[in-house]
């Protein structure tokens, strides 16, 4: 059997990590039930004085703008031009995430199909590629978790400074942009945790699937290897 290619293994690991992370980020964007489930646990009705219907309506209006290209609105809550501009910036990032998810998913599928039908190509892969992606992701989220526990506000500021360079419209004034009242820091912390758990779970699942198919496609004895070689002639 050929020695697995380190470069190909690293490439597959990076593609797997990117796919898992972008898929995990897309989940709370597309699954509104995640936010709905937080309304009661974060006591948003009691904390803000808004009814659950008003909170859901405001969130849905913003997400319709971000995902469905609807006109910008925050339902019955007040909003400013500065706040609307920030959500327009968020829309660009959301679409970038969807694009990277689609491209990395297509690359993973292409690699899987080639490996399925080409024994030589398959032998160049190391079974550790998804495990390497899993380790990289765990290290990344462990570092962010420690940072968040030590200084969540600092992490939050650094994230926005990196994603929105040169802009300060992500700093909301609740008196002019009431939407910020229903999107507290605790919600973002929980969402970040959800993204981490989903990304790790996806990579673990991909590692199990790869291990299963490698065992399924790899001959278990010299006799089976000879039969495979004869069938290819």
């Amino acid at each position: 059997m050929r020695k697995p290619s380190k470069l190909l293994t690293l490439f597959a690991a990076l593609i797997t990590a990117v796919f898992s992370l972008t898929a995990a980020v897309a989940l709370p964007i597309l699954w509104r039930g995640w936010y709905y489930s937080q309304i009661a646990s974060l006591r948003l009705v009691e904390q803000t004085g808004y009814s659950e219907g008003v909170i859901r309506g405001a969130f849905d209006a913003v997400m319709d703008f971000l995902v469905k290209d609807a006109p910008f609105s925050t339902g019955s809550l007040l909003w400013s031009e500065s706040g609307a501009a920030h959500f327009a910036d968020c829309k660009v990032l959301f679409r970038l995430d969807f694009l990277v998810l689609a491209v990395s998913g297509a690359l993973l599928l292409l690699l899987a199909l080639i490996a399925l039908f080409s024994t030589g190509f398959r032998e160049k892969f190391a079974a550790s590629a998804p495990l390497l992606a899993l380790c990289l992701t765990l290290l990344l989220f462990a570092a962010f978790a420690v940072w968040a526990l030590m200084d969540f506000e600092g992490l939050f500021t650094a994230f926005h400074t990196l994603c929105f360079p040169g802009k300060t419209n992500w700093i909301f004034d609740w008196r002019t942009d009431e939407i910020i009242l229903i999107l507290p820091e605790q919600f973002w912390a929980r969402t970040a945790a959800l993204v981490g758990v989903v990304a790790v779970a996806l990579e673990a699942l991909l590692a199990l699937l790869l291990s299963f198919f490698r065992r399924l496609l790899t001959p278990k004895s010299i006799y089976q290897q000879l039969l495979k070689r004869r069938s290819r002639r």
Side-chain angles (χ1 to χ4, degrees):
M1 182 175 288
R2 301 177 186 179
K3 187 177 180 180
S5 166
K6 292 182 179 179
L7 186 60
L8 190 57
T9 298
L10 180 60
F11 175 73
L14 289 175
I15 292 298
T16 302
V18 169
F19 170 77
S20 300
L21 286 170
T22 51
V25 168
L27 179 63
I29 294 174
L30 300 175
W31 176 39
R32 299 188 188 188
W34 165 249
Y35 178 78
Y36 298 157
S37 69
Q38 301 304 304
I39 294 175
S41 61
L42 291 173
R43 303 180 69 247
L44 292 182
V45 173
E46 293 85 351
Q47 295 292 333
T48 64
Y50 304 135
S51 68
E52 183 169 341
V54 168
I55 293 172
R56 286 194 178 211
F59 180 78
D60 286 342
V62 170
M63 295 311 296
D64 285 344
F65 168 75
L66 293 171
V67 178
K68 298 181 179 180
D69 269 338
F72 181 76
S73 172
T74 56
S76 59
L77 303 184
L78 295 176
W79 59 273
S80 68
E81 291 296 333
S82 175
H86 173 65
F87 283 110
D89 293 335
C90 291
K91 181 192 287 190
V92 174
L93 293 181
F94 283 10
R95 292 189 173 183
L96 178 62
D97 179 78
F98 297 155
L99 176 62
V100 175
L101 172 60
V103 171
S104 59
L107 284 174
L108 270 184
L109 181 60
L110 178 63
L111 290 174
L113 289 174
I114 296 174
L116 181 63
F117 295 104
S118 171
T119 303
F121 186 82
R122 184 166 64 247
E123 289 177 351
K124 292 181 181 179
F125 273 96
S128 60
L131 292 177
L132 178 58
L134 181 60
C135 290
L136 290 173
T137 303
L138 283 172
L139 286 173
L140 178 66
F141 277 101
F144 282 136
V146 171
W147 189 357
L149 289 172
M150 295 178 63
D151 182 17
F152 180 80
E153 188 173 343
L155 173 60
F156 195 74
T157 301
F159 171 80
H160 283 81
T161 302
L162 176 65
C163 294
F164 309 102
K167 297 187 177 182
T168 58
N169 57 11
W170 55 270
I171 302 174
F172 283 67
D173 183 343
W174 66 268
R175 291 166 296 186
T176 56
D177 287 287
E178 294 176 330
I179 190 72
I180 194 62
L181 295 174
I182 67 169
L183 297 170
E185 284 188 356
Q186 298 97 313
F187 168 71
W188 297 113
R190 293 182 182 188
T191 301
L194 173 70
V195 169
V197 169
V198 171
V200 168
L202 273 175
E203 288 166 1
L205 177 62
L206 289 172
L208 289 173
L209 287 174
L210 177 62
S211 176
F212 171 77
F213 282 109
R214 281 179 68 88
R215 290 186 180 185
L216 188 66
L217 297 171
T218 301
K220 296 180 177 59
S221 67
I222 295 177
Y223 175 71
Q224 288 176 312
Q225 291 180 26
L226 289 173
L227 287 178
K228 268 202 161 187
R229 287 176 184 174
R230 286 182 181 179
S231 66
R232 289 200 297 265
R233 291 176 182 175

